[in-house]
Amino acid sequence: QVQLVESGGGSVQPGGSLRLSCAASGFTLDYYAIAWFRQAPGKEREGVSCISSSDGSTYYADSVKGRFTISSDYVKDTVYMRMNSLKPEDTAVYYCAATAEGCGSYSIDYWGQGTQVTVSS
């Protein structure tokens, strides 16, 4: 079946780190930009990061610049997001999404199921 599967979420203390993974199943990521979104309780979903399939360019929300790093392994059809120096405000469900129209597009072709990240002391 065609799907994106996230993994790597969990609970950490402030200042801790996690690495999220987004693996494609049933299709290749060669032609898709992959973006990470997050949604905290009571808040709208927001874009966090994106990596372009065309040139590998990366983009980040201002709130995570310098702390989060998105990378790709197209041989494995997997995208990763390393999250360092985590803050309580990073607590959210994180979703990966694939779009054939590049980073900056609002047209999402596939969504992952989400993985919970909780940052608390």
Side-chain angles (χ1 to χ4, degrees):
Q1 57 182 335
V2 176
Q3 60 181 330
L4 293 171
V5 179
E6 298 104 331
S7 62
S11 297
V12 297
Q13 292 185 319
S17 298
L18 288 171
R19 188 181 72 163
L20 305 183
S21 298
C22 175
S25 178
F27 72 107
T28 179
L29 294 178
D30 288 357
Y31 305 106
Y32 295 88
I34 300 296
W36 287 93
F37 295 83
R38 66 186 181 187
Q39 187 165 23
K43 296 183 178 180
E44 293 294 314
R45 185 172 58 229
E46 63 176 342
V48 177
S49 65
C50 188
I51 185 164
S52 173
S53 64
S54 60
D55 61 5
S57 297
T58 58
Y59 306 88
Y60 300 93
D62 288 343
S63 59
V64 306
K65 285 181 179 177
R67 300 189 297 119
F68 291 11
T69 303
I70 188 170
S71 61
S72 63
D73 183 342
Y74 285 104
V75 174
K76 296 181 179 180
D77 278 329
T78 301
V79 170
Y80 306 94
M81 186 167 69
R82 177 72 176 182
M83 305 183 295
N84 294 326
S85 302
L86 284 162
K87 305 174 180 179
E89 50 263 47
D90 294 318
T91 296
V93 177
Y94 284 72
Y95 301 87
C96 65
T99 172
E101 298 183 10
C103 293
S105 174
Y106 293 98
S107 180
I108 302 300
D109 295 292
Y110 303 102
W111 285 98
Q113 84 289 350
T115 185
Q116 177 71 47
V117 172
T118 301
V119 185
S120 66
S121 58

